[in-house]
């Protein structure tokens, strides 16, 4: 079949049967209306008003507080120790009898 089509294209030139394009995921994909162009003015304005932009631009180094449930198992404690060693500017806080609200207030005041 392929040879037959090739021969027809050679004989008929532009009037021949058009070359078939294989159906792939990329050429069957519909245009995405939600895709944003990088030079979109609305997006640039949103990024300029972003309250966390200092963290993404490395102007401010975030403080990270790691806590667990009230009575963590030894395996969880070791994992928290590894996280503290891995993440810069982080510390762990043993929850004990404190509520999340109390821990959050402690972090805000620190």
């Amino acid at each position: 079949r392929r040879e037959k089509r090739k021969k027809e294209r050679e004989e008929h030139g532009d009037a021949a049967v058009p070359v078939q394009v294989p159906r792939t995921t990329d050429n069957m994909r519909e245009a995405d209306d939600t895709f944003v162009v990088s030079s979109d003015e609305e997006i640039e304005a949103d990024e300029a008003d972003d309250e966390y932009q200092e963290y993404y631009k490395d102007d401010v180094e975030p403080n990270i507080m790691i806590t667990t449930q009230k009575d963590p198992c030894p395996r969880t404690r070791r994992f928290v120790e590894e996280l503290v060693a891995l993440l810069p500017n982080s510390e762990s806080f043993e929850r004990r009898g404190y509520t999340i609200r109390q821990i959050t207030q402690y972090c805000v005041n620190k």
Side-chain angles (χ1 to χ4, degrees):
R1 232 161 123 195
R2 188 181 304 169
E3 292 175 11
K4 181 181 175 184
R5 279 192 235 127
K6 185 177 179 184
K7 189 183 283 188
E8 285 179 5
R9 266 186 260 131
E10 289 173 357
E11 290 176 3
H12 299 290
D14 292 338
V17 178
V19 177
Q20 294 179 345
V21 178
R23 295 176 65 167
T24 63
T25 305
D26 287 334
N27 66 12
M28 292 180 60
R29 185 174 293 141
E30 294 179 14
D32 187 5
D33 296 335
T34 62
F35 184 74
V36 179
V37 182
S38 62
S39 61
D40 188 2
E41 292 177 16
E42 183 179 356
I43 298 298
E44 289 176 0
D46 284 345
E47 289 177 355
D49 292 337
D50 187 9
E51 60 193 50
Y52 297 108
Q53 68 180 341
E54 304 92 38
Y55 295 103
Y56 295 118
K57 293 181 180 178
D58 294 332
D59 291 343
V60 176
E61 188 170 327
N63 296 323
I64 302 171
M65 177 65 74
I66 302 172
T67 188
T68 61
Q69 61 186 13
K70 292 183 179 179
D71 188 25
C73 68
R75 190 175 185 185
T76 303
R77 287 185 180 145
R78 283 194 307 273
F79 179 67
V80 168
E81 289 173 7
E82 290 179 19
L83 282 176
V84 169
L86 180 70
L87 299 171
N89 209 17
S90 65
E91 61 180 274
S92 66
F93 184 85
E94 286 193 24
R95 179 136 175 228
R96 297 183 190 133
Y98 298 109
T99 63
I100 293 294
R101 184 173 298 220
Q102 291 170 328
I103 294 172
T104 305
Q105 192 60 44
Y106 170 78
C107 293
V108 168
N109 293 335
K110 193 165 183 193

